[in-house]
Amino acid sequence: MSRRTARQRPGCPCGLQEEPYDACCGRFHRGEAAAPTAEALMRSRYSAFVKLERDYLLRTWHPRTRPGALELDPAMRWTGLEILDTTDGSAFHTTATVTFRASYRGGSLHERSRFERIEGAWVYVDGDILD
C-alpha cells in the first residue's frame, strides 16, 4: 500500500485531486453526489472539518453512533491528510476501515476509522485513536 499525502495547497483540502474543492469534495458536501468508496468518504469528511461543514459530518455519521450535536472550532487549522491503509470499502463491500493521520497546527490525529454502507451510501461508524 502506498502512502498518499495531502498538504494544504490549491485544490481540494482532501489532496486526492488537483481539482478545486467545488468539483471534488464540495459536490459531496452539497449533496450532489455520494462518496463512492469508504476512502473517498474519509477524505470528504476531512475536507468537511477543514471547511466547517457540520451538517455533512452529521449526515455521513452512522445513526447508531452519531452525536446529538457537533461543535467545530473555527480556530482549528488542519494542515494535511495522509491515508496510511484501507481495508475493503468499494461498491462490493458493506464494511471498511481507513487508517489515516490528519495533521493540524500543533499536532496530528492518527486513527483507524470504521465505515459501513447503509442503503448504498458509506457512513462513518467510529474509530480507534492509534497514537
Side-chain angles (χ1 to χ4, degrees), residues 72-127:
L72 300 176
D73 181 358
M76 181 70 137
R77 295 293 175 243
W78 295 99
T79 59
L81 175 67
E82 184 179 12
I83 302 297
L84 304 172
D85 191 30
T86 60
T87 303
D88 299 332
S90 75
F92 301 105
H93 302 109
T94 57
T95 63
T97 62
V98 178
T99 304
F100 68 92
R101 180 172 283 108
S103 299
Y104 55 88
R105 191 174 300 146
S108 66
L109 169 67
H110 185 196
E111 179 177 313
R112 180 177 301 110
S113 296
R114 283 178 285 281
F115 297 87
E116 289 182 15
R117 278 195 327 153
I118 298 178
E119 297 178 8
W122 286 105
V123 293
Y124 170 78
V125 177
D126 60 17

Side-chain angles (χ1 to χ4, degrees), residues 19-81:
E19 289 186 53
Y21 163 77
D22 284 341
C24 190
C25 291
R27 62 196 171 107
F28 302 140
H29 296 172
R30 291 187 304 273
E32 296 169 0
T37 65
E39 181 180 333
L41 181 65
M42 171 59 232
R43 288 179 176 280
S44 71
R45 286 178 57 85
Y46 170 81
S47 290
F49 277 102
V50 171
K51 297 288 190 175
L52 302 175
E53 290 284 345
R54 182 185 60 81
D55 292 343
Y56 179 77
L57 290 165
L58 290 171
R59 187 170 69 244
T60 58
W61 212 310
H62 196 292
R64 178 176 80 239
T65 57
R66 180 186 308 134
L70 180 63
E71 296 299 321
L72 300 176
D73 181 358
M76 181 70 137
R77 295 293 175 243
W78 295 99
T79 59
L81 175 67

